Amino acid sequence: RKKMGLLLLLIICQCAINSIKTHSVSKPNIILLMADDLGVGDLGCYGNKTLRTPNIDSLAKEGVTLTQHIAAAPLCTPSRAAFLTGRYPIRSGMAAFSRVGVFLFSASSGGLPSEEITFSKLLKQNGYATALIGKWHLGMNCESSNDFCHHPCSHGFDYFYGLPVTNFRDCKPGQGSVFLKGVQKDLVIPVQITGIALVSLAVVQYIGLLKVPFQALGYFLLIITISLVVVILFFYHFRQLNCFLMRDHQIVQQPLSYENLTQRLTKEAMKFIERNTDTPFLLFLSYLHVHTALYASENFKGKSKHGLYGDAVEEMDWSVGQVLDVLEKHNLNDKTLVYFTSDQGAHVEEISSAGEVHGGYNGIYKGGKSTNWEGGIRVPGLLRWPGVVQPGAYIDEPTSNMDIFPTIVKLADAQLPSDRIIDGHDLLPLLQGEVTQSKHEFLFHYCNAYLNAVRWHPGNSESVWKVFFFTPNFSPEDSNGCYDSHVCFCHGGFITRHDPPLLFDLSRDPEEKVPLTPETESRFYEIIRVIQQAVDNHTRSLHAVPNQLSWDNLLWKPWLQLCCSSLFQSCYCDYESRGSPFQVHLG
């Protein structure tokens, strides 16, 4: 009888535990923290010994560290589109066929299509309060300056406070320009051709070989002059037109001021959490750090061992700590899943005009941002959820930033869309140790809209095979990036094609130093054949969609320009400085 009683007690206890566990994984709060251009080697929890990141490192100590976490693209716009939708950016038209792979202007007409379903839309429909604080970079308007078809609030966020585009060097006076070199290069040939044409016309007119009406020449000169003036004026006013801060649909600071900017973003995030302590919430805190132009407030400037870049990383870590403290203060730790990542790897070519390194560290991995070498796509992946996710665990399986979509949608008790392919997979079984192998047998790595590489992790093997169909031409050749062009490009003379493809086994050669050959790998052609079959299957799953990053969608359109005053008043306003500054307390 005692044994029966003990058995009954054990059954009751187990049922209670299962009930608690089931309740704990239902509709938790979700906090998504995304850095910009952060190298996987910049954090202490990924091996950095000199940068101080105790708050981010605490997420690893109290949660799971993904050591093979992969961004769906090596550039901001496509990577973020994939993150929000759980789909390769090629499926939504957010991958470019041209050289430019991201949005550059606030008044472009391209953006994340309204037909796409974001995790924020699904969570909002399921009772979540939703907010995006920080960088967006997925478009703004379509046909007028106030239709806001691509705005965060049109994609499921109740609240938006941040930058519609991104943090350019051009946004901060004295930091140089990301456009100047490219504009100079692109204008040299047209200006030379125009000059030669005008001189030739003048010569043939003078010697009487051809009679050209002076009126036609006048109109031609006028068009050329007006075009040059517009280009010069646009880039002269680039900061006002593209670097501004919005709250929901209103501009609150134009141009953007960097003074205590991280503190302001952090304060907004903290206030959002405190407004929603009694309701499930989704907070996407999308940092401007550590994309250039680099900045740091007075409390952090000059304090790190790695110049302004290190100061920015350490200030971001402080911000993460403030968010975690608010959760602790309101007893929300056990009810909240916290995720930290970067949109892609560090931008290794970022060097200031003074010669200071402004790019991050990708550890042992080759290349960086804009490339599909591991340094460009292997990013931090930290998940903390006390009582649900095992603390201090490491998972070395291939995972993707697209996996966050199905993971949090299922946690919110929402339904995954059944009318489209979702490329991400639910991470929870892996995080809780229910399975040991990732569902990602294959991952496809795109350089803009071009399939660049494929990763294959067979179910019966520890190997992680990776093939490259083409690779970027580094400049200088013996460097680790495309320093001459500032980023690597995806086609033409900027790449070298490989037939047969380059093959690596990342389990033995994570640095991608020595390509395998039929002589060094007996299964070389079999591996290539299996991967090619996977590519064929993947390609058949793609459907034609409008290209959101076509030249027409990328170009600046004056009628789409957001301006808090008027273009004639240089688009200036500052409603932020009227409030009291957010004081920073270190300790």
Side-chain angles (χ1 to χ4, degrees):
R1 186 175 293 176
K2 285 183 178 178
K3 287 183 178 180
M4 286 292 292
L6 184 61
L7 182 61
L8 184 62
L9 183 63
L10 285 171
I11 291 170
I12 292 170
C13 288
Q14 187 62 48
C15 288
I17 290 168
N18 288 339
S19 175
I20 292 168
K21 189 174 180 180
T22 302
H23 176 72
S24 68
V25 298
S26 178
K27 301 193 81 167
N29 304 313
I30 309 289
I31 295 181
L32 308 174
L33 307 168
M34 180 176 281
D36 196 352
D37 291 3
L38 182 74
V40 72
D42 285 327
L43 302 176
C45 53
Y46 282 92
N48 193 293
K49 303 297 183 186
T50 52
L51 280 173
R52 296 168 295 183
T53 55
N55 296 300
I56 298 172
D57 296 345
S58 74
L59 296 175
K61 184 179 179 181
E62 299 166 15
V64 170
T65 301
L66 304 175
T67 60
Q68 199 178 159
H69 197 45
I70 307 300
L75 285 173
C76 307
T77 293
S79 176
R80 289 162 184 268
F83 176 66
L84 280 162
T85 63
R87 289 152 53 82
Y88 288 110
I90 190 75
R91 298 193 191 279
S92 58
M94 296 293 280
F97 288 93
S98 62
R99 185 188 301 185
V100 180
V102 300
F103 294 115
L104 301 175
F105 313 125
S106 64
S108 297
S109 57
L112 187 63
S114 57
E115 297 81 15
E116 287 299 313
I117 298 175
T118 61
F119 53 63
S120 44
K121 275 184 184 177
L122 294 175
L123 267 64
K124 180 178 180 178
Q125 290 169 6
N126 232 40
Y128 274 69
T130 57
L132 167 63
I133 311 292
K135 169 176 169 172
W136 176 234
H137 210 181
L138 294 173
M140 189 54 52
N141 294 306
C142 290
E143 296 179 357
S144 69
S145 62
N146 60 358
D147 63 36
F148 298 115
C149 63
H150 303 307
H151 189 282
C153 294
S154 298
H155 282 290
F157 289 104
D158 297 317
Y159 181 67
F160 170 57
Y161 177 83
L163 269 70
V165 193
T166 189
N167 176 29
F168 295 107
R169 279 186 177 275
D170 306 67
C171 294
K172 190 178 180 186
Q175 293 297 304
S177 171
V178 296
F179 298 103
L180 193 58
K181 186 184 288 188
V183 169
Q184 286 174 337
K185 272 186 177 181
D186 291 340
L187 283 181
V188 165
I189 293 176
V191 168
Q192 287 176 341
I193 291 172
T194 303
I196 292 169
L198 286 172
V199 170
S200 301
L201 283 172
V203 170
V204 297
Q205 173 88 0
Y206 179 75
I207 63 178
L209 288 177
L210 181 67
K211 293 293 182 182
V212 181
F214 281 104
Q215 192 175 14
L217 277 175
Y219 281 132
F220 183 68
L221 278 171
L222 182 63
I223 291 168
I224 295 296
T225 303
I226 291 173
S227 299
L228 284 173
V229 168
V230 168
V231 169
I232 291 166
L233 283 175
F234 175 78
F235 284 105
Y236 181 77
H237 291 286
F238 182 90
R239 180 169 168 247
Q240 285 90 337
L241 298 177
N242 297 283
C243 311
F244 52 85
L245 195 64
M246 296 183 75
R247 178 175 279 107
D248 292 332
H249 298 99
Q250 300 297 317
I251 297 175
V252 294
Q253 193 173 59
Q254 190 173 17
L256 170 75
S257 167
Y258 286 89
E259 186 177 358
N260 290 328
L261 180 55
T262 301
Q263 286 70 24
R264 285 183 275 153
L265 296 172
T266 306
K267 181 182 180 183
E268 290 286 340
M270 293 165 66
K271 285 165 63 178
F272 174 77
I273 294 171
E274 290 176 332
R275 287 197 303 269
N276 293 284
T277 54
D278 296 324
T279 188
F281 64 81
L282 163 70
L283 169 62
F284 180 14
L285 178 49
S286 176
Y287 288 104
L288 277 61
H289 287 320
V290 280
H291 196 294
T292 53
L294 294 178
Y295 68 96
S297 60
E298 290 303 318
N299 287 301
F300 295 92
K301 199 176 290 182
K303 302 294 174 63
S304 78
K305 295 181 180 179
H306 290 281
L308 189 52
Y309 182 89
D311 300 342
V313 172
E314 294 186 359
E315 181 173 56
M316 178 173 60
D317 181 79
W318 164 85
S319 173
V320 171
Q322 295 294 297
V323 172
L324 298 181
D325 287 349
V326 172
L327 294 180
E328 179 76 31
K329 176 183 174 183
H330 293 283
N331 298 313
L332 295 174
N333 278 343
D334 294 347
K335 301 175 185 176
T336 307
L337 171 65
V338 180
Y339 167 73
F340 180 90
T341 192
S342 177
D343 55 357
Q344 65 264 324
H347 193 173
V348 296
E349 295 94 345
E350 276 290 5
I351 298 175
S352 74
S353 54
E356 183 180 4
V357 175
H358 277 191
Y361 176 54
N362 292 316
I364 65 170
Y365 303 111
K366 185 174 182 175
K369 176 180 178 175
S370 79
T371 81
N372 282 302
W373 294 112
E374 288 296 284
I377 54 175
R378 195 179 288 225
V379 293
L382 305 171
L383 295 106
R384 188 196 79 169
W385 188 2
V388 179
V389 171
Q390 185 180 352
Y394 289 83
I395 295 174
D396 193 31
E397 289 288 299
T399 57
S400 169
N401 65 350
M402 295 184 292
D403 296 337
I404 297 304
F405 180 96
T407 302
I408 65 176
V409 167
K410 287 186 178 181
L411 287 173
D413 293 337
Q415 293 296 314
L416 286 172
S418 58
D419 63 341
R420 64 198 63 205
I421 292 173
I422 301 298
D423 297 299
H425 295 293
D426 182 10
L427 285 172
L428 205 59
L430 200 60
L431 298 176
Q432 293 187 302
E434 294 174 10
V435 299
T436 57
Q437 182 134 5
S438 165
K439 288 185 180 179
H440 287 292
E441 183 180 3
F442 297 96
L443 280 170
F444 302 93
H445 307 304
Y446 281 84
C447 185
N448 286 355
Y450 304 99
L451 185 59
N452 184 188
V454 179
R455 177 185 310 249
W456 176 35
H457 183 35
N460 59 351
S461 170
E462 291 186 2
S463 291
V464 179
W465 306 106
K466 185 177 177 186
V467 301
F468 280 90
F469 302 110
F470 63 85
T471 50
N473 297 329
F474 285 169
S475 53
E477 278 188 36
D478 58 349
S479 68
N480 190 40
C482 302
Y483 289 86
D484 291 347
S485 54
H486 192 64
V487 292
C488 296
F489 297 116
C490 305
H491 61 281
F494 298 102
I495 62 170
T496 297
R497 297 192 179 276
H498 304 285
D499 187 13
L502 296 185
L503 175 66
F504 299 91
D505 181 358
L506 298 177
S507 67
R508 290 178 288 168
D509 181 18
E511 299 171 67
E512 299 169 296
K513 280 186 173 181
V514 184
L516 298 169
T517 66
E519 291 71 38
T520 58
E521 175 49 64
S522 60
R523 295 165 294 170
F524 182 91
Y525 289 110
E526 178 191 349
I527 293 164
I528 299 297
R529 181 185 61 77
V530 172
I531 290 176
Q532 188 57 58
Q533 182 61 54
V535 169
D536 292 342
N537 293 338
H538 168 69
T539 303
R540 281 195 293 271
S541 77
L542 302 176
H543 303 287
V545 293
N547 181 6
Q548 299 297 324
L549 288 154
S550 65
W551 282 114
D552 177 55
N553 281 326
L554 283 171
L555 289 174
W556 177 65
K557 297 178 172 67
W559 58 92
L560 299 183
Q561 183 62 54
L562 289 168
C563 192
C564 61
S565 54
S566 74
L567 286 171
F568 300 105
Q569 294 173 301
S570 299
C571 294
Y572 176 83
C573 64
D574 187 0
Y575 301 109
E576 285 289 284
S577 299
R578 297 177 186 179
S580 58
F582 180 45
Q583 299 299 318
V584 182
H585 300 286
L586 302 174

